[in-house]
Structure formats: structure tokens, C-alpha cells
Amino acid sequence: MRVFVVGLLAALFFSVTFILNRSMELEGGSWVWSASLRFFFMLPMLIAIVGFQGKIRPVLVHLKNHPTAWIVWSSVGFGFFYAPIAFATVYGPGWLVAATFQLTIIAGSLLVPFLEKQTGIKQSIPVKSVLISVLILGGVILMQLEHASAVPLASVWLCTLPLLLSAFSYPLGNRKMMQVVGNELNTFQRILGMTIASMPFWLILSVYGAIAHGAPSSSQLVQTFIVAVSSGIIATGLFFYATNLVKHDNQKLAGVEATQSGEVVFALMGEIIFLHAAMPSALSFAGVFLVIGGMVLHSLNSGMREKEAFQEVSKAK
């Protein structure tokens, strides 16, 4: 049970992102600063972590040898992933943003042929995964329909479309960077490299923020720092720790991955408790359960696929 508890703790700390982004929006803080400050704060923390491991030099060498790939895919994987999430929070509550972002599971499945084509290994879209993901899509549609009954239709689109961009950018940018890096860097080294390489994106965005919205408030500085520590460092560390403990057991690994569905529940509870958000309707709750159910089934299906693949390899030997 320990790994599942650690996985749930990671989901709890990840959910802080959605709660505090909504909090900053309600206080009048700009989404631009909510997004860019997180990565500005993460940079020195990651330098400290990787520096403690004595592994900064390989990151800098790799960045120097492949600057274009690092900048392009880091901007996609971090910039076009997180900036739209912060923007969407302007038009919808954090729990709705957290739930809608789970469309990234569908996006990841649809991107498989394109991503694997780059490696020379031909793979088709995993049909079973896509079918399971219909549950997630159905849940998101239910929640957004309920949202549409309370806000102008334009707000629904301004919440949903940026999250679609984010949902595709996250797996695309990260998987492309994993292909570029291979086994040359560990996970924290790759995150540090992507944070460094995405700095031009965040600097441009922050210049726009300064011109359009002025400087961030002290409250926004504090809250984005908390997000950087909670989601960028603690949650990431806990999740990697949990997955590392069970990396040789596909069923348990799938179970740990499924705990991340808790982000939606924690974000919802956090907004109700700390931001005094209204309780969602029965329709929205049905959507939440469909999203969570789809995520759990998707993770279990991934575990079964990996187990079957391992058995086939074993038989071949």
C-alpha cells in the first residue's frame, strides 16, 4: 500500500497547481505571471537538486550540442503545456481545468504513430486505449455542458480550446525530448534542461505580462513559489519515487499511475474548502467519476499491455 499512498500524495501536491492558479485569478493576478513565475522559481531549485547529484555538466553539454531540439520541444512540452492551463483558469474553476486536462491521455494515444515514426518503429494507434478514453471524453463533455449553463458560451470555448492545446503539447514535447536525450540524462537532468531551454518562452511571456498587466503582487509571488515547490519539486519527486519502487511490476505501476486521477478530486475538495467554491451539480459529479474511471481503466490496460509484451518477449527467448 505504501506506493499507492505515495502516489496519492503526489496527486495531492499536483492538485495545488489548479487550486492556487484559480486563487490567483480570483485575486486579480494575471495568468501570465501564474505561468511564468512557476518556472522562474523552479530553475534554481532544479539547479540545486541536480548540482547536489554532481550532474549539471552533462545537461549543459547536451544543451550545447542540440540547442534547436531543446528549445523547440521544451517550449512545446513546458510552454504550450502550462501557459494554456494558467489561461484556462481565467474562464473555469480549477477542478474543471484539472479534469479537462486529462484529455492528454487521449492525445498521448493519438500521437503514438507520429512519435514512433520518428524512431523507425511502426506502431498504430492503440484502439483499446482510445475506446477507454471515450469515458474521459464523455466526462469532460458532461462537465463542460454543465459549465455552459452557467457562463457565456465564449467562456466555455476559452476554457476548453487552450486545454486541448495543452493536452497535446504535454506528451508531444516530453516524448520528443526523451527521444532526443535517450539514456544520456536522468529524469531530473532532463527536467532541468527543459526548464533552461524553455526560458526564452517564459521571458517573452513575462515581458508581455509586465507591459499588459504590470508587476505581480506579493501574494502572487508567494503562491507561484508554493506551486513551484509543491507541483514542480515535491509532487514530481514523490511520483518518480513511487514509480521507481514498482517499475518491475507492471500491474502495480499501472495502479500508481491511476492514483493521479486523484488530482481532480483533490482540486475539487481544495476549491470548496479554501476558495469557498460552489458544490458542482450531479451532472458535473457524474462527469468527474467518468474521468476518474477512464483514467484508472487506462492505467490498468497499459499495465496489461506491458505484461503481455513482456510475456511474448520471454516466449521468444
Side-chain angles (χ1 to χ4, degrees):
M1 287 297 295
R2 180 178 61 162
V3 290
F4 297 109
V5 171
V6 174
L8 283 172
L9 280 174
L12 174 62
F13 282 102
F14 275 129
S15 71
V16 170
T17 293
F18 303 103
I19 298 168
L20 291 187
N21 278 353
R22 184 60 174 174
S23 172
M24 287 182 276
E25 165 57 26
L26 294 175
E27 290 180 359
S30 168
W31 67 271
V32 173
W33 292 119
S34 297
S36 56
L37 284 173
R38 167 183 166 167
F39 287 87
F40 291 148
F41 284 132
M42 278 179 58
L43 182 58
M45 297 182 212
L46 288 167
I47 289 173
I49 292 170
V50 179
F52 180 76
Q53 299 172 343
K55 296 180 178 180
I56 290 181
R57 180 174 171 75
V59 177
L60 299 179
V61 171
H62 211 287
L63 281 164
K64 181 180 178 181
N65 292 338
H66 309 277
T68 302
W70 274 102
I71 292 173
V72 170
W73 297 118
S74 297
S75 297
V76 172
F78 279 4
F80 289 104
F81 146 62
Y82 195 68
I85 284 181
F87 179 82
T89 311
V90 176
Y91 298 97
W95 65 266
L96 180 62
V97 172
T100 305
F101 175 69
Q102 304 313 321
L103 291 172
T104 191
I105 294 172
I106 304 174
S109 297
L110 295 176
L111 285 169
V112 165
F114 169 73
L115 291 167
E116 297 304 326
K117 183 179 180 181
Q118 310 302 311
T119 64
I121 303 172
K122 185 178 180 180
Q123 289 199 29
S124 59
I125 292 175
V127 177
K128 189 181 291 186
S129 294
V130 173
L131 290 175
I132 291 173
S133 297
V134 170
L135 285 175
I136 298 173
L137 180 60
V140 169
I141 290 173
L142 283 180
M143 289 181 290
Q144 290 292 357
L145 283 174
E146 179 65 23
H147 187 218
S149 68
V151 300
L153 185 60
S155 294
V156 176
W157 287 115
L158 288 170
C159 178
T160 306
L161 292 179
L163 290 171
L164 282 174
L165 173 62
S166 177
F168 277 90
S169 297
Y170 183 69
L172 177 60
N174 279 280
R175 292 183 194 179
K176 288 295 294 183
M177 277 313 312
M178 283 190 281
Q179 290 177 2
V180 171
V181 169
N183 296 319
E184 297 178 48
L185 303 176
N186 64 32
T187 302
F188 270 106
Q189 285 178 304
R190 179 172 59 82
I191 294 173
L192 171 60
M194 290 181 70
T195 303
I196 294 172
S198 66
M199 278 297 122
F201 179 95
W202 300 118
L203 287 169
I204 292 170
L205 192 65
S206 61
V207 168
Y208 162 74
I211 295 171
H213 305 285
S217 67
S218 57
S219 175
Q220 191 163 25
L221 286 169
V222 171
Q223 290 185 77
T224 48
F225 178 77
I226 294 172
V227 169
V229 174
S230 176
S231 183
I233 304 299
I234 297 176
T236 302
L238 287 171
F239 184 65
F240 288 157
Y241 172 70
T243 52
N244 188 62
L245 286 176
V246 293
K247 62 184 178 182
H248 300 301
D249 188 324
N250 292 324
Q251 292 300 305
K252 290 180 181 178
L253 182 59
V256 170
E257 291 173 342
T259 61
Q260 298 313 291
S261 62
E263 289 178 29
V264 183
V265 177
F266 291 135
L268 175 58
M269 292 171 58
E271 285 200 270
I272 291 173
I273 294 171
F274 298 108
L275 304 182
H276 309 294
M279 185 73 71
S281 68
L283 187 64
S284 290
F285 268 118
V288 167
F289 286 124
L290 280 176
V291 169
I292 292 172
M295 291 177 69
V296 172
L297 287 175
H298 189 279
S299 295
L300 293 176
N301 178 57
S302 297
M304 289 297 294
R305 287 206 321 270
E306 290 180 14
K307 183 179 180 180
E308 290 170 0
F310 177 75
Q311 289 174 342
E312 288 179 7
V313 171
S314 299
K315 288 179 183 178
K317 290 181 179 179

